């Protein structure tokens, strides 16, 4: 069977000399998540407030040291990338106060082979604006983290803070995963408002999350 796949099962009894019973079913089920082997892409096109992508998770507490807490909840949600249009299409978090420390968590990936890279589209916009790039508050951060032990501990790979400049069209974040070749890894993206209630009110976007072979050119 293939992971994260819907199946239907029909059953009938072998009654010996009396032949077979009628079929019963279908009995429907979905197989559990497994470790993904790249290439992998998640464009978040099916993301809604009630249904997150298969094998992804959310958390609404914790930091890079403690790891995510309160799994299954969080302030990341669906919106169009760059606040253009309506509906789903990207993950977004609004950072404007001093209470959020919320995660989105990827599935696990087997990095045997490769070399692989992680890349995704990233943007910081003023709240509800599609025309003005935003700046993170004084202690606001967005971190890209990796775990090699099924989420027990996390290592920071990249951090975006109030010195980060992203164009109004967004940017593509690329991280070389060669150092993690042969390992099973999971990624987390943590949006934190810190402890200071800054005046900045911004939307942070993540879209088109890919783990893939490093392109040859």
């Amino acid at each position: 069977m293939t992971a994260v796949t819907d199946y239907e099962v029909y059953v009938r009894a072998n009654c010996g000399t009396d032949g077979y019973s009628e079929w019963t079913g279908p009995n429907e089920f979905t197989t559990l998540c497994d470790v993904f082997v790249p290439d992998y892409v998640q464009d978040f096109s099916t993301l809604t407030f009630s249904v997150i992508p298969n094998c992804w998770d959310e958390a609404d507490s914790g930091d890079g040291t403690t790891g995510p807490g309160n799994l299954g909840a969080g302030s990341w949600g669906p919106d169009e990338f760059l606040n253009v249009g309506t509906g789903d299409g990207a993950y977004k978090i609004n950072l404007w106060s001093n209470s959020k420390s919320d995660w989105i968590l990827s599935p696990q990936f087997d990095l045997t082979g490769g070399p692989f890279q992680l890349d995704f589209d990233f943007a910081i916009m003023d709240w509800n604006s599609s025309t003005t790039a935003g700046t993170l508050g004084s202690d606001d951060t967005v971190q890209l983290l990796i775990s090699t032990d099924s989420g027990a501990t996390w290592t920071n790979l990249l951090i975006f803070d109030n010195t980060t400049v992203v164009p109004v069209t967004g940017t593509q974040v690329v991280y070389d995963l060669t150092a993690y070749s042969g390992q099973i890894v999971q990624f987390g993206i943590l949006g934190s408002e810190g402890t200071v209630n800054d005046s900045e009110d911004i939307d942070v976007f993540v879209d088109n999350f890919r783990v893939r072979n490093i392109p040859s050119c």
Side-chain angles (χ1 to χ4, degrees):
M1 293 184 181
T2 303
V4 200
T5 302
D6 295 328
Y7 288 93
E8 294 182 347
V9 176
Y10 295 81
V11 179
R12 66 175 179 175
N14 183 347
C15 302
T17 57
D18 293 327
Y20 291 91
S21 70
E22 296 293 325
W23 287 102
T24 62
N27 300 297
E28 301 177 351
F29 68 95
T30 302
T31 51
L32 297 175
C33 294
D34 200 354
V35 177
F36 286 86
V37 176
D39 287 356
Y40 170 93
V41 61
Q42 175 55 253
D43 63 8
F44 304 118
S45 61
T46 60
L47 180 67
T48 70
F49 281 110
S50 58
V51 180
I52 61 176
N54 284 330
C55 303
W56 285 71
D57 207 346
E58 301 177 359
D60 69 1
S61 65
D63 56 30
T65 300
T66 65
N70 196 23
L71 296 176
S75 297
W76 290 86
D79 208 337
E80 293 293 344
F81 193 66
L82 303 174
N83 284 320
V84 176
T86 59
D88 54 20
Y91 249 131
K92 182 182 86 169
I93 189 170
N94 174 225
L95 302 178
W96 64 279
S97 184
N98 61 348
S99 61
K100 293 175 186 170
S101 186
D102 291 20
W103 302 66
I104 48 175
L105 300 164
S106 79
Q108 291 185 309
F109 300 95
D110 184 349
L111 299 186
T112 301
F116 298 108
Q117 71 178 34
L118 166 64
D119 56 72
F120 56 90
D121 296 334
F122 182 75
I124 304 172
M125 304 294 288
D126 277 355
W127 175 75
N128 210 31
S129 173
S130 60
T131 58
T132 305
T135 302
L136 290 163
S138 63
D139 64 343
D140 295 351
T141 58
V142 179
Q143 293 176 259
L144 170 66
L145 301 107
I146 190 171
S147 175
T148 59
D149 52 13
S150 300
T153 60
W154 294 85
T155 300
N156 182 67
L157 299 179
L158 295 172
I159 187 166
F160 307 94
D161 57 22
N162 65 339
T163 67
T164 302
V165 178
V166 178
V168 70
T169 53
T171 189
Q172 186 183 55
V173 175
V174 180
Y175 193 89
D176 187 332
L177 297 171
T178 302
Y180 294 92
S181 293
Q183 300 187 61
I184 293 176
V185 304
Q186 182 182 17
F187 301 100
I189 299 178
L190 169 61
S192 173
E193 292 177 328
T195 59
V196 178
N197 188 358
D198 297 293
S199 60
E200 286 81 2
D201 187 356
I202 53 96
D203 293 328
V204 175
F205 296 87
V206 173
D207 199 6
N208 297 321
F209 185 99
R210 295 189 297 186
V211 181
R212 58 172 175 158
N213 285 94
I214 296 176
S216 59
C217 63

